[in-house]
Amino acid sequence: MKKSEGGGSRRPYVNVSGEDVRRAQLRRECRGLVMSSGGVVLVRPVPKTFMRGQVLDMRHEQLQGQRVQEVTEKLDGQLIVGVVSRGGEVEMWSRGGRTQLGSSAMMCARRSEGRHEELIMEAEVLGCTVCFEYIGRQSRIKVRYEGESEVVMVAVREKMSGDTWWWEEMEGLGRRHGVRVVRRVCEGMRSLEEVREWVEAQEFMEGVMVRMSGGVVVKVKQCCCCLLYTSDAADDM
């Protein structure tokens, strides 16, 4: 078994074609995607992310030559998406759809000073899905957050194209509605090695999400937070 950057083991990749990689990327993108019977995308959450070397399209040779474009903190919670129903009601869903976790996140958002529902509605008008991280004591956490639970905006994705907003645009949306936005970090850094060194020097942080010039998002975690890779990663290729 080969060693990953986090110190764990992963399966070696053998006889995998470019078509296999593209299908794995498509399958990853489709997780959590909600479409109408007419083929209209209703909800597009952020896809599952991986560390360098964990899946085929994030091997060293695939990332070689790509530059770091944007880095945000990786929050340790549960992914939540904003949804507007046919009747115009704003809800929060988890990856499993309409769940108790989503309802709990909505109650948390309503107790806060932020206007999460107005923010979700504005994004809906723009044809976008807002993604949040629900952090706090309700999570099975590796990083302990002080204070009450929070619903923090981490991404805005265009439903049809799948394009993700840059941090400045997302921060502006959050500021207009008083909603907390994930921190941008590592400004000015251009390589994954620089980012990794910075992450290892931090305290009380699980890691970061790195958007590369080739379009992929790479997860960089502190060594103490890395888990052994499982067959789930291999299945995603």
Side-chain angles (χ1 to χ4, degrees):
M1 300 288 279
K2 296 181 180 180
K3 290 292 182 180
S4 71
E5 290 185 340
S9 299
R10 63 175 174 84
R11 293 179 181 178
Y13 298 106
V14 181
N15 296 328
V16 178
S17 68
E19 182 62 26
D20 289 330
V21 174
R22 287 188 289 273
R23 287 183 178 181
Q25 290 173 333
L26 178 61
R27 185 168 62 248
R28 198 182 306 158
E29 182 65 42
C30 287
R31 285 179 172 174
L33 191 70
V34 180
M35 301 183 69
S36 71
S37 57
V40 177
V41 178
L42 303 177
V43 181
R44 187 188 285 268
V46 290
K48 185 176 180 180
T49 55
F50 297 92
M51 291 182 283
R52 182 169 61 178
Q54 192 175 4
V55 291
L56 267 184
D57 53 323
M58 294 184 192
R59 292 182 301 179
H60 176 74
E61 55 267 33
Q62 296 292 108
L63 297 174
Q64 194 169 18
Q66 294 191 35
R67 301 182 312 279
V68 171
Q69 290 193 315
E70 186 171 86
V71 185
T72 55
E73 182 179 2
K74 183 186 183 301
L75 300 178
D76 189 17
Q78 293 113 341
L79 180 70
I80 299 292
V81 294
V83 180
V84 179
S85 68
R86 288 184 178 179
E89 182 181 358
V90 177
E91 304 177 41
M92 286 186 174
W93 291 7
S94 68
R95 284 195 184 276
R98 187 181 282 116
T99 61
Q100 181 58 45
L101 177 63
S103 298
S104 174
M106 177 59 87
M107 288 189 290
C108 176
R110 286 173 173 167
R111 289 194 300 268
S112 73
E113 297 180 356
R115 300 179 298 281
H116 291 72
E117 291 171 79
E118 292 180 15
L119 182 150
I120 292 168
M121 187 63 76
E122 180 178 339
E124 176 71 17
V125 172
L126 296 172
C128 298
T129 295
V130 183
C131 304
F132 304 91
E133 197 78 5
Y134 184 25
I135 62 173
R137 291 175 299 219
Q138 77 288 338
S139 303
R140 292 182 297 173
I141 56 176
K142 306 179 191 73
V143 178
R144 184 169 300 280
Y145 296 105
E146 299 295 333
E148 299 297 320
S149 297
E150 283 190 271
V151 180
V152 183
M153 181 164 58
V154 295
V156 180
R157 300 198 74 201
E158 295 183 8
K159 294 181 183 180
M160 296 305 295
S161 68
D163 291 342
T164 302
W165 286 14
W166 294 102
W167 185 87
E168 289 91 346
E169 192 173 7
M170 179 173 65
E171 193 276 335
L173 177 65
R175 183 162 19 89
R176 288 197 295 276
H177 296 280
V179 172
R180 180 184 164 191
V181 178
V182 66
R183 284 195 305 150
R184 180 174 59 179
V185 295
C186 301
E187 292 185 67
M189 295 186 184
R190 290 293 176 263
S191 71
L192 281 174
E193 286 68 28
E194 287 181 281
V195 173
R196 180 173 299 283
E197 289 176 6
W198 182 88
V199 168
E200 287 299 335
Q202 306 308 302
E203 293 184 356
F204 309 113
M205 173 183 279
E206 184 186 359
V208 295
M209 309 299 289
V210 185
R211 193 194 295 202
M212 305 298 293
S213 56
V216 299
V217 176
V218 182
K219 181 165 53 180
V220 177
K221 299 173 73 173
Q222 286 192 344
C223 288
C224 61
C225 291
C226 289
L227 303 177
L228 291 178
Y229 291 160
T230 66
S231 59
D232 290 341
D235 291 342
D236 273 285
M237 309 237 305

